[in-house]
Amino acid sequence: MIDRNSIIIKLQDALRPLPYVYAFWLEGADATGFVDEYSDIDFWVDFEDKYEDRAYEAVENALCEISKIDYKYIVHHDHPKIRQRIYHLDGTSKFLMIDFCWQLHSRPKEEYTYYRDSNIECAKVIFDKDNVINFKQFDPLDVSNCNMLRLEEAKYRRTQYMRVEKYVKRGQYLEAYAYYNRYVLEPLIDLLRLIYTPAYAYYYLIHISQHIPQTEMEELQCFAKIASIEDIAEKMPLAGKWFDELVERIELFK
C-alpha cells in the first residue's frame, strides 16, 4: 500500500535537485499535526516563472513513478501567480488526494507570510533554497480593519431576524432554512472566529472543531441542527441571546 510518507519523500527527492524549483513545503494536516487516515496531502512548490511547464512535468513524472495517476483536475485559480492541480494515485486510499499548488517565484512574499506558532495556517518546510517561506509574529493590527467590518456585518445580520421569521410564518421551509443560515448561524460562526481565531476570522467552518472549545462547539452544533420550521422558530431567539453574549465578550477585548 502506497502511503503519504512515500509520496512526500519521492517528490522531495525529485524536486530538490532542480535549479528552477526554489522551495517545497506542506500545508494542511501535515503542517498542523492533525494527520489521520482521512487526510489529503497539501503540497506547495515555488518555481522560476519561465519554467512553469517543466515544473508540472517534474511533479507528474515523479508521481507516475510511484503509481498511475488515475485522477487529475486542473483548478482554474483566480490568483495570477498560483497554479493548482488535484491528483489521485492508483492503489492509494480514496481519501489520499494530492492537492498540489505551484506558485511563481515572482509572487510577492508578503502575500503568503505565515504567523509563527500558528496551528491553523502553517507550513512544514521540506526545503527552501531562497528564503521563500517567511514567518512573523501575529499582530492584531494586521487584521483589525477586516475583523471590525466582519463584526459590523454580523451585528447587522442580527437585526434582520425578521427575514427568517417571515418565511417561518409563511410555512416555507427551504427559504426559512436558507435565511436562518445567513442571518442566524453564520453570524454566530463569525463571532466565535473573532474570539478564538482572530487571525483567521474568515475560515468559517473549516476545521472549527479543532479551533473552539468543546462546549461552544456543541452549542454551535445544536443551532446548526435544523430539521423543520419548528426547529427554526424555537432556536432563533436562543441563538440571538447567545449572539448578544458573544458580542459582549468581544467588546471586552477592545
Side-chain angles (χ1 to χ4, degrees):
M1 185 74 172
I2 304 163
D3 63 15
R4 67 191 309 110
N5 288 332
S6 61
I7 296 171
I8 293 169
I9 291 169
K10 179 65 177 180
L11 286 166
Q12 172 184 316
D13 292 344
L15 298 177
R16 189 191 292 271
L18 301 178
Y20 55 85
V21 174
Y22 292 103
F24 183 36
W25 68 99
L26 289 157
E27 286 192 351
D30 290 279
T32 60
F34 287 105
V35 171
D36 64 16
E37 64 268 35
Y38 308 113
S39 301
D40 62 359
I41 314 180
D42 297 289
F43 287 113
W44 276 86
V45 163
D46 179 281
F47 66 92
E48 186 66 47
D49 296 32
K50 65 182 179 180
Y51 291 106
E52 185 169 335
D53 289 339
R54 290 176 67 177
Y56 303 149
E57 184 179 0
V59 167
E60 294 184 3
N61 285 345
L63 291 176
C64 286
E65 289 179 11
I66 301 171
S67 185
K68 176 185 175 183
I69 297 173
D70 60 13
Y71 178 82
K72 172 182 170 180
Y73 177 71
I74 299 175
V75 179
H76 298 287
H77 216 284
D78 291 335
H79 195 293
K81 302 286 187 178
I82 296 176
R83 312 290 185 260
Q84 185 176 8
R85 297 184 181 189
I86 312 296
Y87 303 102
H88 183 267
L89 297 181
D90 185 44
T92 65
S93 164
K94 66 180 180 180
F95 301 107
L96 193 57
M97 302 299 293
I98 300 171
D99 189 341
F100 218 110
C101 287
W102 291 263
Q103 71 173 26
L104 277 63
H105 195 56
S106 60
R107 183 186 179 194
K109 288 187 177 182
E110 61 270 16
E111 288 186 359
Y112 57 94
T113 298
Y114 296 90
Y115 288 123
R116 193 174 289 110
D117 301 323
S118 170
N119 65 346
I120 296 178
E121 199 168 277
C122 47
K124 183 178 180 180
V125 180
I126 298 176
F127 64 80
D128 187 349
K129 304 173 187 176
D130 194 35
N131 295 317
V132 169
I133 306 154
N134 294 294
F135 298 87
K136 68 176 182 178
Q137 200 65 37
F138 173 63
D139 183 347
L141 292 177
D142 291 345
V143 296
S144 59
N145 289 338
C146 289
N147 285 359
M148 182 59 66
L149 290 173
R150 189 172 294 275
L151 175 59
E152 291 307 310
E153 173 68 17
K155 287 180 177 179
Y156 158 72
R157 293 193 193 186
R158 171 70 176 92
T159 69
Q160 301 299 302
Y161 277 22
M162 81 289 291
R163 295 177 183 268
V164 187
E165 186 178 357
K166 68 181 178 182
Y167 288 111
V168 170
K169 292 184 179 298
R170 289 169 179 166
Q172 295 175 319
Y173 170 74
L174 292 176
E175 291 89 341
Y177 178 80
Y179 277 72
Y180 176 87
N181 275 278
R182 178 168 177 78
Y183 291 98
V184 180
L185 189 62
E186 288 182 12
L188 288 174
I189 296 166
D190 280 344
L191 293 188
L192 290 167
R193 285 293 186 188
L194 289 169
I195 291 170
Y196 293 107
T197 63
Y200 310 98
Y202 54 88
Y203 252 51
Y204 191 53
L205 289 174
I206 299 173
H207 299 307
I208 197 168
S209 299
Q210 299 168 1
H211 302 158
I212 66 175
Q214 179 75 18
T215 54
E216 296 191 314
M217 183 193 71
E218 290 174 356
E219 190 162 3
L220 183 62
Q221 285 181 166
C222 175
F223 289 117
K225 292 177 181 177
I226 297 297
S228 66
I229 281 182
E230 289 73 25
D231 281 348
I232 294 173
E234 177 185 347
K235 292 180 179 181
M236 193 161 50
L238 299 174
K241 181 175 182 294
W242 192 30
F243 180 96
D244 296 339
E245 292 170 356
L246 292 174
V247 167
E248 287 183 10
R249 289 173 58 186
I250 292 174
E251 297 295 337
L252 288 174
F253 294 159
K254 294 181 179 180

